[in-house]
Amino acid sequence: MVQLSFDDVIKVKEIDDKKYDKVSRVTALSEELNMSLVLDVNTEIYPVRVGDRFRMVLSKSLYPDGSTVTEHNPQDKQKSLADKFEYVMHGLLYEMSEDTAGSYPAAEVYVSFGGLQMMLKGDPTKIGNYNVDEKLFLLMRRL
């Protein structure tokens, strides 16, 4: 069974679409795990508005058996986690850090999806077990 590194409902709090025509920087908060999220979304293909709620998952594989995804093959009949979501990106975790400036320690995870960036920040015990240079899938579905 595929193990999900992060699985929560996020609610969009703010959108900054001033820099690019087709990409917006979304600021959101996860509802159950209380994580903050900053995510670049290609809003030309997946429009997002303030107040929208999404189920968001980070996973190391798209397949239930956890096998590595080697290429996209639309004729492949194997069930995929992506079948249940509307927006999918594949990226590389390039940095992890710890923020000790606040009253509570927080872990920060940074992932690049071909130039689109994500920063997930929150309680280190609630963030999945990640490693730098690890490939991850981000999957989203509107609720």
Side-chain angles (χ1 to χ4, degrees):
M1 185 77 174
V2 66
Q3 216 174 24
L4 305 178
S5 303
F6 176 87
D7 186 358
D8 202 354
V9 173
I10 62 166
K11 184 173 182 180
V12 176
K13 298 294 183 186
E14 186 179 315
I15 297 175
D16 180 2
D17 55 4
K18 296 174 186 160
K19 285 190 177 183
Y20 304 103
D21 293 334
K22 301 175 184 181
V23 175
S24 294
R25 180 153 287 173
V26 173
T27 303
L29 186 64
S30 74
E31 294 182 352
E32 187 176 315
L33 298 175
N34 199 30
M35 302 282 196
S36 62
L37 172 76
V38 177
L39 177 66
D40 294 340
V41 176
N42 183 332
T43 50
E44 181 179 56
I45 60 172
Y46 198 66
V48 177
R49 295 183 316 266
V50 171
D52 283 352
R53 293 176 66 235
F54 299 90
R55 177 176 178 211
M56 188 183 100
V57 168
L58 289 176
S59 178
K60 297 176 185 181
S61 176
L62 292 177
Y63 298 123
D65 65 0
S67 62
T68 304
V69 178
T70 55
E71 64 181 47
H72 175 67
N73 184 358
Q75 287 75 33
D76 189 0
K77 298 299 180 203
Q78 184 176 358
K79 293 286 184 188
S80 167
L81 189 59
D83 297 336
K84 299 177 182 180
F85 290 85
E86 303 163 333
Y87 186 71
V88 179
M89 294 192 294
H90 183 244
L92 183 71
L93 190 153
Y94 65 91
E95 184 179 342
M96 293 176 59
S97 64
E98 200 169 317
D99 180 6
T100 56
S103 55
Y104 298 102
E108 295 177 343
V109 175
Y110 296 88
V111 181
S112 175
F113 301 97
L116 300 180
Q117 303 293 309
M118 179 194 82
M119 188 272 297
L120 181 64
K121 179 179 180 180
D123 183 345
T125 63
K126 295 180 182 176
I127 289 184
N129 186 19
Y130 299 109
N131 297 304
V132 172
D133 292 332
E134 186 168 42
K135 294 180 181 179
L136 294 172
F137 291 92
L138 179 140
L139 304 101
M140 289 174 51
R141 178 182 67 226
R142 196 177 311 276
L143 297 177

